Amino acid sequence: MERLHSKIRDIPDFPKPGIIFKDITPLVKDPASLRLAVHQLLHPFLGRDITAVAGMEARGFIFGSLVAWELGVPFIPLRKPGKLPYDVQSVSYDLEYGSAALEVHIDAVDKNDKVLLIDDLLATGGTAKASCELIEKLGAQVVACAFVVELDFLAGRELLKDYEVHTLLHY
């Protein structure tokens, strides 16, 4: 994983003072590292009967769609409100600085689907937990959550204690 660690750039004081942003841009810029990250994300789930992959806007789309492609299953985009053109199911959740919401088309998954949730980063866990709830509102099962980066000191994994969590890089 050292190769992937070397592709995560620290950006101090972004998006606000005191925050060190973990920038994945160097990783996605390097095709070999991106391929490695995608394969490491999906490896524990090979043979697990995953029927769909869901990813959160926006960076979850990068990794989620590639994992879905590799597994040969549909990709389900979880979007910010007002971005999807068809009937949606939504979920609202609290952030450390306010609130947010995610939406998904009501026919994106069904009760027989076994979904792998993918995002670039697990921080406080609020977005991931809300994403799991959104998928489950449609009747599907969340098999696991997988992340490229986890900020261990924010204990986001605690919010996901009911789910299997797989992370490539820990900070």
Side-chain angles (χ1 to χ4, degrees):
M1 290 301 152
E2 185 53 40
R3 177 177 178 177
L4 296 181
H5 268 291
S6 72
K7 297 295 180 178
I8 304 297
R9 176 171 43 204
D10 286 345
I11 307 292
D13 299 319
F14 184 84
K16 59 185 184 178
I19 302 290
I20 299 175
F21 184 82
K22 297 296 184 188
D23 181 17
I24 62 161
T25 305
L27 189 152
V28 299
K29 180 181 175 187
D30 177 36
S33 295
L34 180 58
R35 186 176 304 111
L36 177 61
V38 168
H39 283 253
Q40 292 299 315
L41 281 171
L42 69 85
H43 185 76
F45 308 105
L46 292 173
R48 295 272 299 274
D49 197 28
I50 303 293
T51 61
V53 173
M56 298 84 109
E57 189 167 340
R59 293 178 300 273
F61 290 3
I62 297 168
F63 296 99
S65 61
L66 291 170
V67 168
W69 182 74
E70 286 287 340
L71 292 174
V73 300
F75 174 71
I76 311 302
L78 306 180
R79 305 278 329 250
K80 295 174 183 171
K83 301 289 186 181
L84 292 170
Y86 187 60
D87 295 336
V88 297
Q89 179 65 261
S90 64
V91 65
S92 296
Y93 58 100
D94 292 326
L95 299 168
E96 56 274 12
Y97 51 84
S99 63
L102 287 172
E103 295 181 340
V104 65
H105 281 150
I106 59 170
D107 61 354
V109 294
D110 65 37
K111 62 181 176 62
N112 297 316
D113 279 314
K114 294 180 176 143
V115 179
L116 174 60
L117 187 75
I118 302 276
D119 204 3
D120 69 318
L121 178 77
L122 174 59
T124 63
T127 302
K129 176 70 170 163
S131 297
C132 291
E133 291 170 2
L134 185 56
I135 294 297
E136 291 167 345
K137 274 180 145 183
L138 294 177
Q141 174 191 357
V142 176
V143 173
C145 304
F147 306 93
V148 177
V149 172
E150 183 172 348
L151 303 178
D152 296 331
F153 63 95
L154 293 176
R157 190 176 282 253
E158 289 299 311
L159 272 183
L160 300 175
K161 63 182 180 282
D162 295 331
Y163 305 95
E164 179 182 347
V165 176
H166 171 60
T167 304
L168 303 184
L169 305 172
H170 293 267
Y171 292 92

